[in-house]
Amino acid sequence: MKIKTIIVDDEPMARGIIKMHLSKLHAFEVVKECSNAIEAINILQKQPVDLLFLDIQMPELTGLDFLKTIKNPPLVVLATAYSEYAVDSYEFENVVDYLLKPITFERFLKTANRIFEKLKLDLPAEQTVIVKEETETLTDYIFLKADKKIHKVNHSDIIYFQGYGNYVKVFTKTQGMVMVLQKIQEFEDALPESKFIRIHKSYIISLASISTIEGNRLWLDKSEIPIGSTYKYKIDHLSKK
């Protein structure tokens, strides 16, 4: 079974990146690329599909408004450059994931696995090998370039990340604080969701380091970290697991 997919995004480059990621996994078949929601509506009236990759901010009709018009919608993966839409996206039951641009292949693989689970697919043997090979490349450490040195830091040693514009402070248990010239979004895209979670526009934390959660703040040992309203749903979801 092929997962029949439509990509809806007004940016050609964004469509190209998603299509490139999809092409690496044999289970997907891109049946159409649409530059706006109106075009996608016309396609869906003629041809049912299994999956939509949908941009949120588009001219004429936003992705979220588009979803409200669809009866019996397929599975949907939302993609946007703006994290503030995350809360609104979770009112739709058919939304399986929310991707922030730029979308890395590592992050895309997590989405693909969620889709496979939702559709309860028995993947062909060759497809299983592809996913396995890609996921096996993930490591349990990161390299940080700071002070004219390259620091190897294990995931288990990280407490949290704090963003300052184009810089990020990485707080660790054994190496103290390391400041790197890098944006916090790059860390969010690269880090495994099973170990780290973004809880604020300026903070990514280690799940293993959480000691207490209270209202709109939490503690990592003695460090108090605010929980941004846009990211509160992630913390609420933790308590339901």
Side-chain angles (χ1 to χ4, degrees):
M1 170 187 169
K2 291 279 190 177
I3 302 172
K4 296 187 181 299
T5 305
I6 293 179
I7 303 170
V8 188
D9 198 307
D10 62 322
E11 299 177 4
M13 185 176 293
R15 295 198 303 271
I17 290 173
I18 293 172
K19 188 174 182 180
M20 178 183 67
H21 291 338
L22 288 168
S23 70
K24 296 178 182 179
L25 302 178
H26 301 163
F28 295 97
E29 177 188 352
V30 178
V31 298
K32 189 69 177 177
E33 295 179 50
C34 302
S35 60
N36 58 68
I38 305 300
E39 185 179 351
I41 289 172
N42 291 328
I43 295 297
L44 289 175
Q45 289 175 344
K46 301 174 184 177
Q47 180 179 5
V49 298
D50 305 303
L51 176 67
L52 289 176
F53 275 87
L54 182 62
D55 185 26
I56 292 181
Q57 281 202 320
M58 292 185 290
E60 297 187 74
L61 190 66
T62 70
L64 296 180
D65 288 338
F66 164 56
L67 283 183
K68 295 173 184 177
T69 70
I70 307 176
K71 293 182 178 179
N72 302 317
L75 295 182
V76 175
V77 176
L78 292 172
T80 181
Y82 305 96
S83 61
E84 58 263 31
Y85 291 107
V87 175
D88 293 335
S89 73
Y90 278 82
E91 71 178 86
F92 301 96
E93 293 183 2
N94 55 313
V95 171
V96 295
D97 208 351
Y98 181 92
L99 295 175
L100 281 175
K101 301 175 183 178
I103 303 167
T104 64
F105 185 65
E106 179 184 337
R107 180 63 182 85
F108 174 82
L109 268 179
K110 297 176 184 178
T111 298
N113 285 324
R114 290 178 184 176
I115 294 167
F116 298 153
E117 184 178 347
K118 279 281 186 180
L119 294 176
K120 294 181 171 55
L121 287 184
D122 292 323
L123 297 179
E126 65 271 20
Q127 182 61 64
T128 305
V129 170
I130 288 174
V131 175
K132 182 180 178 182
E133 287 177 350
E134 296 289 352
T135 54
E136 280 181 347
T137 63
L138 302 182
T139 60
D140 59 358
Y141 58 85
I142 58 175
F143 286 108
L144 303 175
K145 187 175 181 180
D147 304 321
K148 298 181 180 180
K149 301 176 184 177
I150 296 178
H151 305 260
K152 180 182 177 181
V153 182
N154 293 327
H155 288 167
S156 59
D157 192 34
I158 297 170
I159 305 171
Y160 67 95
F161 301 79
Q162 183 177 10
Y164 284 93
N166 291 326
Y167 288 85
V168 173
K169 290 182 178 179
V170 185
F171 292 85
T172 72
K173 299 173 185 175
T174 62
Q175 300 188 46
M177 187 274 289
V178 180
M179 179 177 281
V180 296
L181 179 58
Q182 206 166 337
K183 292 186 177 180
I184 197 166
Q185 181 64 54
E186 296 175 49
F187 284 104
E188 183 179 17
D189 291 337
L191 292 166
E193 289 185 329
S194 59
K195 297 180 180 179
F196 298 92
I197 183 173
R198 190 168 185 175
I199 62 163
H200 187 279
K201 66 179 181 180
S202 300
Y203 292 95
I204 296 172
I205 65 163
S206 163
L207 289 169
S209 297
I210 297 175
S211 59
T212 309
I213 301 172
E214 180 183 347
N216 291 323
R217 56 185 177 171
L218 55 76
W219 283 263
L220 310 173
D221 192 14
K222 297 180 181 179
S223 300
E224 181 180 337
I225 308 293
I227 301 171
S229 57
T230 303
Y231 300 89
K232 185 70 164 59
Y233 73 96
K234 293 185 178 183
I235 298 298
D236 294 339
H237 182 66
L238 285 178
S239 63
K240 297 176 183 177
K241 289 185 176 181

PDB file of all heavy atoms in Angstrom, residues 107-127:
ATOM      1  N   ARG A 107      14.059  14.878  11.772  1.00  0.00           N
ATOM      2  CA  ARG A 107      12.748  15.207  12.360  1.00  0.00           C
ATOM      3  C   ARG A 107      11.625  14.646  11.523  1.00  0.00           C
ATOM      4  O   ARG A 107      10.601  14.173  12.061  1.00  0.00           O
ATOM      5  CB  ARG A 107      12.627  16.741  12.472  1.00  0.00           C
ATOM      6  CG  ARG A 107      11.297  17.207  13.066  1.00  0.00           C
ATOM      7  CD  ARG A 107      11.137  16.723  14.488  1.00  0.00           C
ATOM      8  NE  ARG A 107       9.851  17.115  15.051  1.00  0.00           N
ATOM      9  CZ  ARG A 107       8.724  16.429  14.882  1.00  0.00           C
ATOM     10  NH1 ARG A 107       8.723  15.299  14.186  1.00  0.00           N
ATOM     11  NH2 ARG A 107       7.594  16.860  15.421  1.00  0.00           N
ATOM     12  N   PHE A 108      11.803  14.660  10.198  1.00  0.00           N
ATOM     13  CA  PHE A 108      10.788  14.113   9.305  1.00  0.00           C
ATOM     14  C   PHE A 108      10.570  12.617   9.554  1.00  0.00           C
ATOM     15  O   PHE A 108       9.448  12.123   9.483  1.00  0.00           O
ATOM     16  CB  PHE A 108      11.201  14.349   7.857  1.00  0.00           C
ATOM     17  CG  PHE A 108      10.291  13.706   6.855  1.00  0.00           C
ATOM     18  CD1 PHE A 108       9.111  14.323   6.469  1.00  0.00           C
ATOM     19  CD2 PHE A 108      10.610  12.472   6.302  1.00  0.00           C
ATOM     20  CE1 PHE A 108       8.262  13.721   5.552  1.00  0.00           C
ATOM     21  CE2 PHE A 108       9.762  11.864   5.390  1.00  0.00           C
ATOM     22  CZ  PHE A 108       8.586  12.499   5.010  1.00  0.00           C
ATOM     23  N   LEU A 109      11.645  11.893   9.856  1.00  0.00           N
ATOM     24  CA  LEU A 109      11.518  10.454  10.119  1.00  0.00           C
ATOM     25  C   LEU A 109      10.605  10.168  11.304  1.00  0.00           C
ATOM     26  O   LEU A 109       9.848   9.198  11.303  1.00  0.00           O
ATOM     27  CB  LEU A 109      12.899   9.847  10.390  1.00  0.00           C
ATOM     28  CG  LEU A 109      13.642   9.272   9.190  1.00  0.00           C
ATOM     29  CD1 LEU A 109      14.988   8.731   9.628  1.00  0.00           C
ATOM     30  CD2 LEU A 109      12.841   8.188   8.508  1.00  0.00           C
ATOM     31  N   LYS A 110      10.663  11.005  12.324  1.00  0.00           N
ATOM     32  CA  LYS A 110       9.779  10.827  13.472  1.00  0.00           C
ATOM     33  C   LYS A 110       8.322  10.977  13.045  1.00  0.00           C
ATOM     34  O   LYS A 110       7.437  10.235  13.489  1.00  0.00           O
ATOM     35  CB  LYS A 110      10.118  11.852  14.559  1.00  0.00           C
ATOM     36  CG  LYS A 110      11.519  11.707  15.124  1.00  0.00           C
ATOM     37  CD  LYS A 110      11.821  12.816  16.117  1.00  0.00           C
ATOM     38  CE  LYS A 110      13.250  12.748  16.613  1.00  0.00           C
ATOM     39  NZ  LYS A 110      13.587  13.854  17.539  1.00  0.00           N
ATOM     40  N   THR A 111       8.077  11.949  12.173  1.00  0.00           N
ATOM     41  CA  THR A 111       6.727  12.145  11.653  1.00  0.00           C
ATOM     42  C   THR A 111       6.284  10.932  10.851  1.00  0.00           C
ATOM     43  O   THR A 111       5.149  10.462  10.983  1.00  0.00           O
ATOM     44  CB  THR A 111       6.688  13.404  10.760  1.00  0.00           C
ATOM     45  OG1 THR A 111       7.026  14.539  11.541  1.00  0.00           O
ATOM     46  CG2 THR A 111       5.311  13.601  10.149  1.00  0.00           C
ATOM     47  N   ALA A 112       7.171  10.427   9.998  1.00  0.00           N
ATOM     48  CA  ALA A 112       6.846   9.264   9.170  1.00  0.00           C
ATOM     49  C   ALA A 112       6.454   8.075  10.045  1.00  0.00           C
ATOM     50  O   ALA A 112       5.480   7.373   9.755  1.00  0.00           O
ATOM     51  CB  ALA A 112       8.029   8.912   8.282  1.00  0.00           C
ATOM     52  N   ASN A 113       7.180   7.850  11.112  1.00  0.00           N
ATOM     53  CA  ASN A 113       6.864   6.725  11.990  1.00  0.00           C
ATOM     54  C   ASN A 113       5.514   6.900  12.676  1.00  0.00           C
ATOM     55  O   ASN A 113       4.795   5.930  12.928  1.00  0.00           O
ATOM     56  CB  ASN A 113       7.981   6.540  13.019  1.00  0.00           C
ATOM     57  CG  ASN A 113       9.219   5.901  12.417  1.00  0.00           C
ATOM     58  OD1 ASN A 113       9.104   5.037  11.552  1.00  0.00           O
ATOM     59  ND2 ASN A 113      10.392   6.332  12.839  1.00  0.00           N
ATOM     60  N   ARG A 114       5.152   8.141  12.992  1.00  0.00           N
ATOM     61  CA  ARG A 114       3.829   8.401  13.566  1.00  0.00           C
ATOM     62  C   ARG A 114       2.729   8.098  12.546  1.00  0.00           C
ATOM     63  O   ARG A 114       1.670   7.568  12.889  1.00  0.00           O
ATOM     64  CB  ARG A 114       3.727   9.857  14.027  1.00  0.00           C
ATOM     65  CG  ARG A 114       4.582  10.176  15.242  1.00  0.00           C
ATOM     66  CD  ARG A 114       4.488  11.636  15.622  1.00  0.00           C
ATOM     67  NE  ARG A 114       5.382  11.960  16.726  1.00  0.00           N
ATOM     68  CZ  ARG A 114       5.560  13.166  17.224  1.00  0.00           C
ATOM     69  NH1 ARG A 114       4.904  14.187  16.720  1.00  0.00           N
ATOM     70  NH2 ARG A 114       6.400  13.366  18.226  1.00  0.00           N
ATOM     71  N   ILE A 115       2.990   8.451  11.305  1.00  0.00           N
ATOM     72  CA  ILE A 115       2.023   8.173  10.235  1.00  0.00           C
ATOM     73  C   ILE A 115       1.855   6.678  10.053  1.00  0.00           C
ATOM     74  O   ILE A 115       0.733   6.166   9.952  1.00  0.00           O
ATOM     75  CB  ILE A 115       2.477   8.837   8.917  1.00  0.00           C
ATOM     76  CG1 ILE A 115       2.449  10.360   9.056  1.00  0.00           C
ATOM     77  CG2 ILE A 115       1.589   8.395   7.757  1.00  0.00           C
ATOM     78  CD1 ILE A 115       3.171  11.085   7.949  1.00  0.00           C
ATOM     79  N   PHE A 116       2.974   5.938  10.020  1.00  0.00           N
ATOM     80  CA  PHE A 116       2.899   4.485   9.867  1.00  0.00           C
ATOM     81  C   PHE A 116       2.095   3.861  11.002  1.00  0.00           C
ATOM     82  O   PHE A 116       1.302   2.945  10.802  1.00  0.00           O
ATOM     83  CB  PHE A 116       4.313   3.884   9.853  1.00  0.00           C
ATOM     84  CG  PHE A 116       5.173   4.357   8.713  1.00  0.00           C
ATOM     85  CD1 PHE A 116       6.560   4.375   8.843  1.00  0.00           C
ATOM     86  CD2 PHE A 116       4.618   4.788   7.520  1.00  0.00           C
ATOM     87  CE1 PHE A 116       7.357   4.809   7.802  1.00  0.00           C
ATOM     88  CE2 PHE A 116       5.410   5.236   6.471  1.00  0.00           C
ATOM     89  CZ  PHE A 116       6.781   5.240   6.613  1.00  0.00           C
ATOM     90  N   GLU A 117       2.314   4.373  12.210  1.00  0.00           N
ATOM     91  CA  GLU A 117       1.596   3.832  13.367  1.00  0.00           C
ATOM     92  C   GLU A 117       0.103   4.123  13.267  1.00  0.00           C
ATOM     93  O   GLU A 117      -0.735   3.263  13.568  1.00  0.00           O
ATOM     94  CB  GLU A 117       2.167   4.440  14.649  1.00  0.00           C
ATOM     95  CG  GLU A 117       1.559   3.880  15.925  1.00  0.00           C
ATOM     96  CD  GLU A 117       2.177   4.480  17.179  1.00  0.00           C
ATOM     97  OE1 GLU A 117       3.230   5.140  17.067  1.00  0.00           O
ATOM     98  OE2 GLU A 117       1.591   4.291  18.259  1.00  0.00           O
ATOM     99  N   LYS A 118      -0.245   5.349  12.853  1.00  0.00           N
ATOM    100  CA  LYS A 118      -1.657   5.722  12.714  1.00  0.00           C
ATOM    101  C   LYS A 118      -2.372   4.858  11.684  1.00  0.00           C
ATOM    102  O   LYS A 118      -3.517   4.434  11.874  1.00  0.00           O
ATOM    103  CB  LYS A 118      -1.773   7.192  12.309  1.00  0.00           C
ATOM    104  CG  LYS A 118      -1.640   8.181  13.448  1.00  0.00           C
ATOM    105  CD  LYS A 118      -2.942   8.265  14.226  1.00  0.00           C
ATOM    106  CE  LYS A 118      -2.863   9.370  15.274  1.00  0.00           C
ATOM    107  NZ  LYS A 118      -4.136   9.476  16.049  1.00  0.00           N
ATOM    108  N   LEU A 119      -1.690   4.609  10.573  1.00  0.00           N
ATOM    109  CA  LEU A 119      -2.289   3.826   9.491  1.00  0.00           C
ATOM    110  C   LEU A 119      -2.137   2.332   9.703  1.00  0.00           C
ATOM    111  O   LEU A 119      -2.657   1.535   8.923  1.00  0.00           O
ATOM    112  CB  LEU A 119      -1.656   4.230   8.149  1.00  0.00           C
ATOM    113  CG  LEU A 119      -1.943   5.663   7.694  1.00  0.00           C
ATOM    114  CD1 LEU A 119      -1.182   5.973   6.410  1.00  0.00           C
ATOM    115  CD2 LEU A 119      -3.439   5.881   7.474  1.00  0.00           C
ATOM    116  N   LYS A 120      -1.386   1.969  10.758  1.00  0.00           N
ATOM    117  CA  LYS A 120      -1.141   0.558  11.086  1.00  0.00           C
ATOM    118  C   LYS A 120      -0.631  -0.209   9.873  1.00  0.00           C
ATOM    119  O   LYS A 120      -1.158  -1.263   9.499  1.00  0.00           O
ATOM    120  CB  LYS A 120      -2.411  -0.084  11.648  1.00  0.00           C
ATOM    121  CG  LYS A 120      -2.833   0.504  12.988  1.00  0.00           C
ATOM    122  CD  LYS A 120      -4.075  -0.156  13.517  1.00  0.00           C
ATOM    123  CE  LYS A 120      -4.356   0.270  14.951  1.00  0.00           C
ATOM    124  NZ  LYS A 120      -4.454   1.703  15.152  1.00  0.00           N
ATOM    125  N   LEU A 121       0.407   0.350   9.278  1.00  0.00           N
ATOM    126  CA  LEU A 121       0.951  -0.236   8.059  1.00  0.00           C
ATOM    127  C   LEU A 121       1.922  -1.366   8.370  1.00  0.00           C
ATOM    128  O   LEU A 121       2.712  -1.292   9.305  1.00  0.00           O
ATOM    129  CB  LEU A 121       1.710   0.821   7.247  1.00  0.00           C
ATOM    130  CG  LEU A 121       0.877   1.874   6.520  1.00  0.00           C
ATOM    131  CD1 LEU A 121       1.791   2.758   5.697  1.00  0.00           C
ATOM    132  CD2 LEU A 121      -0.146   1.218   5.611  1.00  0.00           C
ATOM    133  N   ASP A 122       1.838  -2.410   7.574  1.00  0.00           N
ATOM    134  CA  ASP A 122       2.872  -3.433   7.547  1.00  0.00           C
ATOM    135  C   ASP A 122       3.787  -3.068   6.395  1.00  0.00           C
ATOM    136  O   ASP A 122       3.479  -3.296   5.224  1.00  0.00           O
ATOM    137  CB  ASP A 122       2.270  -4.826   7.321  1.00  0.00           C
ATOM    138  CG  ASP A 122       1.434  -5.271   8.511  1.00  0.00           C
ATOM    139  OD1 ASP A 122       1.835  -4.966   9.639  1.00  0.00           O
ATOM    140  OD2 ASP A 122       0.398  -5.908   8.297  1.00  0.00           O
ATOM    141  N   LEU A 123       4.911  -2.455   6.727  1.00  0.00           N
ATOM    142  CA  LEU A 123       5.795  -1.951   5.690  1.00  0.00           C
ATOM    143  C   LEU A 123       6.541  -3.074   4.996  1.00  0.00           C
ATOM    144  O   LEU A 123       6.871  -4.093   5.611  1.00  0.00           O
ATOM    145  CB  LEU A 123       6.809  -0.982   6.291  1.00  0.00           C
ATOM    146  CG  LEU A 123       6.223   0.280   6.904  1.00  0.00           C
ATOM    147  CD1 LEU A 123       7.349   1.119   7.488  1.00  0.00           C
ATOM    148  CD2 LEU A 123       5.473   1.081   5.864  1.00  0.00           C
ATOM    149  N   PRO A 124       6.811  -2.908   3.704  1.00  0.00           N
ATOM    150  CA  PRO A 124       7.641  -3.880   3.001  1.00  0.00           C
ATOM    151  C   PRO A 124       9.002  -3.986   3.676  1.00  0.00           C
ATOM    152  O   PRO A 124       9.467  -3.042   4.307  1.00  0.00           O
ATOM    153  CB  PRO A 124       7.784  -3.277   1.595  1.00  0.00           C
ATOM    154  CG  PRO A 124       6.684  -2.283   1.478  1.00  0.00           C
ATOM    155  CD  PRO A 124       6.396  -1.800   2.859  1.00  0.00           C
ATOM    156  N   ALA A 125       9.641  -5.121   3.530  1.00  0.00           N
ATOM    157  CA  ALA A 125      10.924  -5.350   4.193  1.00  0.00           C
ATOM    158  C   ALA A 125      11.951  -4.297   3.817  1.00  0.00           C
ATOM    159  O   ALA A 125      12.688  -3.798   4.658  1.00  0.00           O
ATOM    160  CB  ALA A 125      11.448  -6.740   3.841  1.00  0.00           C
ATOM    161  N   GLU A 126      11.988  -3.911   2.521  1.00  0.00           N
ATOM    162  CA  GLU A 126      12.996  -2.946   2.103  1.00  0.00           C
ATOM    163  C   GLU A 126      12.746  -1.579   2.732  1.00  0.00           C
ATOM    164  O   GLU A 126      13.663  -0.837   3.024  1.00  0.00           O
ATOM    165  CB  GLU A 126      13.031  -2.807   0.571  1.00  0.00           C
ATOM    166  CG  GLU A 126      11.766  -2.235  -0.062  1.00  0.00           C
ATOM    167  CD  GLU A 126      10.738  -3.298  -0.411  1.00  0.00           C
ATOM    168  OE1 GLU A 126      10.832  -4.399   0.169  1.00  0.00           O
ATOM    169  OE2 GLU A 126       9.847  -3.025  -1.228  1.00  0.00           O
ATOM    170  N   GLN A 127      11.453  -1.252   2.970  1.00  0.00           N
ATOM    171  CA  GLN A 127      11.146   0.028   3.599  1.00  0.00           C
ATOM    172  C   GLN A 127      11.579   0.036   5.061  1.00  0.00           C
ATOM    173  O   GLN A 127      12.102   1.009   5.568  1.00  0.00           O
ATOM    174  CB  GLN A 127       9.650   0.315   3.511  1.00  0.00           C
ATOM    175  CG  GLN A 127       9.273   1.663   4.102  1.00  0.00           C
ATOM    176  CD  GLN A 127       9.954   2.795   3.394  1.00  0.00           C
ATOM    177  OE1 GLN A 127       9.715   3.016   2.217  1.00  0.00           O
ATOM    178  NE2 GLN A 127      10.818   3.512   4.074  1.00  0.00           N
TER     179      GLN A 127
END
